[in-house]
Amino acid sequence: MSDLPDFEPIDHTADAGFRVRGDTLPELFRNAARCLFEALGETAGVTAAESHAVELAAEEHAALLRAWLSEILYLSYVRKLVLSDSEILEV
């Protein structure tokens, strides 16, 4: 990818807005997950302790990205997990 950052804050009418980049869909989804947890301030000192498989389906990429971010946010709140990294096997 170019010298542009994987994600960056942007002006948005919501509480926060970010522009996320990736050369491939899996890279975009991974960077979006990193952005989410960094924006929440929950990544400092986090190390991988366990893994969880997530399988989702959607009609279009935008809907799949929303489902992905919703699912990992759910895991964060309900199971008290913080995402330290992700491996996207297929989009």
Side-chain angles (χ1 to χ4, degrees):
M1 187 162 38
S2 68
D3 292 333
L4 296 172
D6 293 340
F7 51 88
E8 62 186 335
I10 59 170
D11 287 333
H12 196 278
T13 57
D15 292 336
F18 296 89
R19 178 174 291 117
V20 180
R21 296 177 181 87
D23 287 335
T24 63
L25 280 173
E27 184 179 20
L28 177 69
F29 277 53
R30 183 175 185 224
N31 290 343
R34 285 183 39 237
C35 179
L36 173 64
F37 281 93
E38 285 190 24
L40 293 173
E42 298 182 354
T43 59
V46 173
T47 58
E50 57 186 89
S51 64
H52 292 271
V54 175
E55 193 171 321
L56 303 165
E59 296 279 328
E60 56 185 27
H61 292 139
L64 187 58
L65 180 59
R66 284 190 300 275
W68 162 242
L69 294 174
S70 293
E71 182 66 18
I72 61 175
L73 194 58
Y74 167 83
L75 289 172
S76 170
Y77 287 131
V78 172
R79 295 190 182 175
K80 307 296 184 215
L81 300 174
V82 174
L83 183 78
S84 64
D85 198 6
S86 59
E87 180 181 7
I88 310 297
L89 300 177
E90 183 180 344
V91 176

